[in-house]
Amino acid sequence: MGIRKGDLTLRAKEALDNATEILVRTADAESFGSLAGYKTVPLDEVFKRSRNYDELNRNLAAAVLDAAKKSDVCYCVDGSVSEDEACKIILNNHKDCEVLDSVSKASHAYNTSRLTGSEVVSVSAYSIENLKTCRAATVYDIDCEYVAGTVKERLSYIFGEESDCLFVRGETVEKIKIYEIDRQKNYDGTCAVAVEEGEFLKKDRFDFADLEHMLKLLRAPGGCPWDRAQTSESIKGNMIEEAYELVDAIERGDTDGMEEETGDVLLQAAFHAVIAEERGEFTGGDALTRLVKKLIFRHSHIFGGDKAATETEALGVWDKNKREEKGQTDYSDTVLAVPKNMPACMRAQKVGKRSAKCGMDFLSPVSASEKLEEEVGELLEACIKEDKGAIFDEAGDVLFSAVNVCRLAGADCELALHAATNKFTKRFVEFERLAKENGEKIEEMDPSRWDYYWMLAKNAVKKD
């Protein structure tokens, strides 16, 4: 039926003239006026007995298909056939149906709002969750305040809530902010929103593609000399630094810092992707595609035939799929796969955990501590002999054994050592402060005074 009265094409009129029965999606549309003079059966009662949008479309399609069993039916919808979900159900089951299209809701919104861009994505408000990042969009079917709210949320995410948009109602257009979409006085089937992004540097919202675009601008001829000079090798340390800064913000409970540092980590990832694209190796899209496919494959208990009812079972499925994905056929493959440039404590714990999966492990933290005691004795023996090479080897054995004890006790060794270092730092700062407060210099004190102030510092820090 199109959008307005008079949108019917000549071919549509011919079909109406020859139809035995004319079903209409709704009489509550301006375009229904085009059917004056025809005997029609509006399906508005289907709306009343349908609990949600999906059920409504199934019920509409069923009503049309039931009527079609008895006679030739012409089913009329407002807007375009391609925009009507019930029509899609009908056409999917009956490929022989003839489609006579009219003015679409999307094109009406586009033409009425006078959007200037050609790269426009159109979507029904009832499918707004499917709208991805785009340069411009028209959203139709904004027929109630609730739906308007879902549209506002999605468009705010993509374009920014302060961005301008055009609110279309029938033939009228009003320029509003995106956050005002659900603050209009009334809504009907003709309501739509049209929005397009502004100039790149003045946009309110950016996505990963914009980040890559920014890096390409910086590395282009005439761009930033520093950015243009970088390679993956030259900036590899930045990723580690930014990751540590993100973890630091997490540990401080600094949400604003987490937001900033998360962006910095993404910057490093995008930087490597742009450099790789310049070399013809891979793109950011390739990396993201590989990541999502990996998540689908490894979560076979969600997207496949595996079962996992607990966190432990889910981790087991993940590990199984990871070994299959990486072609790891034995336990040595998994141990060798632990990155050598990990922090030493973290790497030791990961190697110990992976090697233990074959069953070769200490029975408990107690039995592991016996090995630790043995290694400490060997280290002391090497110290007595002043054998530097042996001291180096035995020191490593002591540390590795200590990691095994802590691992079996259930502690995250990297975090535990980090926390212990923080604790020592706080105590030491308090230790020196207390000594200075009493006019003593720590470098001139004897061990008994060190012990005295250290105990005071421990108690003071404990109170904090």
Side-chain angles (χ1 to χ4, degrees):
M1 298 187 296
I3 302 298
R4 295 158 296 193
K5 180 180 180 180
D7 281 349
L8 281 181
T9 64
L10 292 175
R11 289 186 63 207
K13 288 182 178 180
E14 181 180 353
L16 289 169
D17 291 337
N18 295 322
T20 304
E21 186 172 14
I22 301 173
L23 301 182
V24 184
R25 181 177 183 271
T26 176
D28 188 21
E30 181 184 338
S31 55
F32 181 68
S34 299
L35 302 181
Y38 291 101
K39 183 179 180 181
T40 62
V41 180
L43 299 178
D44 292 283
E45 58 87 18
V46 178
F47 286 74
K48 299 176 183 177
R49 59 182 172 84
S50 300
R51 293 172 296 180
N52 54 55
Y53 190 62
D54 289 337
E55 184 177 315
L56 168 64
N57 290 317
R58 290 195 298 270
N59 289 340
L60 287 171
V64 174
L65 293 175
D66 285 344
K69 294 176 182 177
K70 305 169 186 175
S71 61
D72 292 334
V73 171
C74 186
Y75 177 49
C76 301
V77 300
D78 47 318
S80 167
V81 171
S82 62
E83 296 170 336
D84 189 88
E85 295 300 321
C87 285
K88 293 176 184 178
I89 295 173
I90 295 169
L91 292 172
N92 187 54
N93 289 280
H94 294 272
K95 308 293 185 183
D96 56 337
C97 292
E98 184 179 8
V99 176
L100 302 172
D101 221 341
S102 186
V103 178
S104 70
K105 298 174 183 178
S107 62
H108 175 72
Y110 178 87
N111 294 328
T112 306
S113 62
R114 297 290 192 269
L115 285 184
T116 58
S118 57
E119 302 174 27
V120 182
V121 177
S122 297
V123 62
S124 168
Y126 285 88
S127 302
I128 190 64
E129 71 277 2
N130 297 324
L131 182 64
K132 297 182 179 180
T133 301
C134 55
R135 296 179 63 85
T138 57
V139 184
Y140 51 89
D141 287 336
I142 307 177
D143 54 13
C144 68
E145 184 178 350
Y146 172 78
V147 172
T150 63
V151 171
K152 178 192 72 174
E153 289 178 7
R154 188 60 187 162
L155 294 184
S156 293
Y157 178 81
I158 296 175
F159 296 97
E161 64 176 15
E162 292 285 345
S163 295
D164 292 327
C165 67
L166 297 168
F167 190 86
V168 177
R169 181 186 288 105
E171 302 304 312
T172 65
V173 180
E174 181 182 0
K175 185 177 181 181
I176 63 173
K177 298 292 185 181
I178 285 179
Y179 70 79
E180 296 178 303
I181 290 175
D182 61 348
R183 300 182 185 181
Q184 305 308 297
K185 292 182 178 179
N186 54 70
Y187 302 89
D188 57 45
T190 69
C191 291
V193 165
V195 58
E196 53 188 339
E197 67 179 13
E199 184 183 340
F200 179 71
L201 296 180
K202 296 180 181 179
K203 288 174 61 174
D204 289 328
R205 296 279 294 182
F206 296 93
D207 59 16
F208 192 79
D210 290 321
L211 175 57
E212 289 186 309
H213 179 61
M214 172 61 75
L215 288 169
K216 290 175 182 178
L217 290 176
L218 295 174
R219 288 176 63 81
C224 173
W226 185 88
D227 288 288
R228 293 190 64 197
Q230 300 314 304
T231 65
S232 287
E233 185 69 23
S234 71
I235 62 171
K236 64 181 182 182
N238 294 353
M239 176 60 84
I240 297 174
E241 179 182 335
E242 299 297 354
Y244 275 118
E245 290 181 0
L246 172 56
V247 172
D248 181 62
I250 293 171
E251 292 178 346
R252 295 197 316 271
D254 182 358
T255 304
D256 185 67
M258 287 171 59
E259 179 183 346
E260 179 181 359
E261 300 304 339
T262 297
D264 289 344
V265 170
L266 290 173
L267 168 62
Q268 297 306 313
F271 215 147
H272 288 288
V274 168
I275 292 173
E277 184 177 354
E278 292 170 353
R279 298 196 298 251
E281 296 170 347
F282 65 87
T283 67
D286 294 331
L288 291 172
T289 297
R290 183 170 182 172
L291 170 62
V292 174
K293 286 183 176 180
K294 178 167 64 176
L295 291 173
I296 293 171
F297 178 76
R298 292 190 186 178
H299 286 88
S300 56
H301 53 294
I302 304 296
F303 307 113
D306 287 322
K307 304 294 182 182
T310 66
E311 180 182 343
T312 301
E313 291 176 351
L315 185 59
V317 172
W318 174 280
D319 288 339
K320 171 184 72 71
N321 291 335
K322 183 177 181 180
R323 290 195 301 272
E324 180 182 342
E325 175 190 287
K326 294 184 176 295
Q328 296 171 343
T329 57
D330 52 38
Y331 294 102
S332 295
D333 290 335
T334 66
V335 171
L336 289 171
V338 178
K340 293 182 175 62
N341 58 356
M342 265 187 169
C345 186
M346 185 184 295
R347 183 183 176 217
Q349 176 162 312
K350 204 167 189 70
V351 166
K353 186 182 293 185
R354 289 192 178 182
S355 63
K357 288 185 181 296
C358 71
M360 189 194 77
D361 200 4
F362 295 99
L363 295 176
S364 68
V366 176
S367 60
S369 67
E370 294 172 357
K371 182 64 175 175
L372 174 59
E373 184 178 354
E374 176 188 328
E375 297 297 351
V376 170
E378 293 178 2
L379 173 59
L380 293 176
E381 185 179 338
C383 291
I384 293 171
K385 294 178 180 178
E386 297 184 354
D387 184 340
K388 292 185 176 180
I391 290 173
F392 180 86
D393 288 341
E394 298 303 340
D397 290 343
V398 167
L399 293 171
F400 191 82
S401 296
V403 166
N404 280 329
V405 174
C406 298
R407 172 178 61 82
L408 288 163
D412 185 306
C413 301
E414 187 73 20
L415 295 179
L417 181 57
H418 182 63
T421 303
N422 283 343
K423 181 168 62 177
F424 176 85
T425 300
K426 290 179 181 179
R427 289 176 179 177
F428 184 84
V429 171
E430 183 65 13
F431 160 78
E432 184 174 29
R433 188 192 69 79
L434 290 170
K436 284 184 175 181
E437 195 175 71
N438 289 330
E440 296 190 56
K441 295 181 179 180
I442 58 176
E443 67 271 22
E444 296 176 356
M445 293 190 302
D446 60 42
S448 64
R449 298 301 289 170
W450 286 342
D451 290 342
Y452 170 72
Y453 282 112
W454 190 255
M455 289 303 299
L456 291 178
K458 283 179 66 176
N459 291 332
V461 170
K462 190 181 295 183
K463 292 176 183 178
D464 294 337

